[in-house]
């Protein structure tokens, strides 16, 4: 049986950047949601950012913050810095302002806040989501470059 690192290495050799992100996430996702502490730091960075990318692209910031992945907002912010995604990081920071700078760790608290302040959230997040779709940084390339630079941490 292949290790996660071997699977990731094969994926990198087989697919382009965006398909690689999807396939690597499929390899790591089961561990990410069940045993996060079993992942190495570079694997966590990848998973945090994979979840962030998928949720914000499909469900917007509202969906992201309502999801379990929103529990890791601060880790995601740091991970965006780690891979050099400065434009995404700036937009994400702006999205956090709806919580007045302190994003609740508990999913229920975030969801309740969004429900109570739906108009304010929509007013802030809608233009950010439009900007998000127009960013000229290549998120997938940044993420795959990070994986390649840290491949030995993927076990």
């Amino acid at each position: 049986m292949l290790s996660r690192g071997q699977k990731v290495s094969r994926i990198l050799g087989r697919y382009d950047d965006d398909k690689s992100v999807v396939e690597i996430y499929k390899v790591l996702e089961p561990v990410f949601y069940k045993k996060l502490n079993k992942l190495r730091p570079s694997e966590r960075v990848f998973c945090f950012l994979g979840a962030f990318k998928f949720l914000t692209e499909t469900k917007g910031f509202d969906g992201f913050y309502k999801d379990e992945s929103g529990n890791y907002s601060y880790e995601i912010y740091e991970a965006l810095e780690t891979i050099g995604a400065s434009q995404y990081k700036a937009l994400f920071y702006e999205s956090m302002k709806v919580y007045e700078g302190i994003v609740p760790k508990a999913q229920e608290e975030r969801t309740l806040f969004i429900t109570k302040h739906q108009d304010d959230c929509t007013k802030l997040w809608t233009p950010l989501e439009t900007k998000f779709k127009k960013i000229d940084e290549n998120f997938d390339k940044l993420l795959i470059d990070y994986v390649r630079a840290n491949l030995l941490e993927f076990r």
Side-chain angles (χ1 to χ4, degrees):
M1 178 171 263
L2 297 175
S3 70
R4 288 193 305 258
Q6 291 168 321
K7 290 176 185 176
V8 168
S9 186
R10 284 186 177 190
I11 290 167
L12 291 174
R14 231 178 245 165
Y15 302 109
D16 61 7
D17 292 344
D18 59 337
K19 180 71 172 170
S20 290
V21 170
V22 171
E23 293 302 316
I24 293 169
Y25 191 74
K26 286 179 186 176
V27 169
L28 298 174
E29 182 182 30
V31 182
F32 177 59
Y33 283 108
K34 291 181 183 168
K35 297 179 182 180
L36 179 62
N37 61 341
K38 297 284 185 185
L39 293 175
R40 291 186 171 184
S42 293
E43 293 173 315
R44 287 183 198 172
V45 164
F46 182 90
C47 288
F48 289 145
L49 294 179
F52 168 73
K53 177 185 185 287
F54 173 74
L55 288 166
T56 50
E57 285 179 350
T58 60
K59 298 180 181 181
F61 288 110
D62 182 84
F64 167 77
Y65 285 113
K66 286 180 178 176
D67 187 82
E68 178 182 348
S69 296
N71 298 353
Y72 305 107
S73 295
Y74 295 105
E75 291 86 348
I76 290 168
Y77 183 77
E78 290 175 10
L80 289 166
E81 170 89 20
T82 299
I83 70 163
S86 58
Q87 292 177 33
Y88 285 96
K89 180 182 157 201
L91 274 181
F92 187 52
Y93 178 78
E94 290 299 315
S95 79
M96 296 167 88
K97 286 184 177 179
V98 80
Y99 293 104
E100 298 175 2
I102 303 171
V103 179
K105 195 77 166 164
Q107 185 176 0
E108 302 83 27
E109 287 180 49
R110 287 190 315 277
T111 301
L112 182 60
F113 181 91
I114 292 169
T115 302
K116 284 184 175 180
H117 302 91
Q118 189 65 55
D119 291 342
D120 293 332
C121 293
T122 301
K123 186 177 177 181
L124 176 66
W125 290 338
T126 301
L128 292 178
E129 289 165 2
T130 301
K131 289 179 184 178
F132 189 89
K133 293 173 185 171
K134 295 179 181 179
I135 290 178
D136 60 2
E137 275 181 332
N138 187 333
F139 189 88
D140 293 331
K141 181 175 179 351
L142 290 170
L143 193 50
I144 292 303
D145 287 349
Y146 175 79
V147 171
R148 282 192 170 102
N150 296 281
L151 191 57
L152 292 178
E153 261 200 59
F154 286 75
R155 45 180 166 145

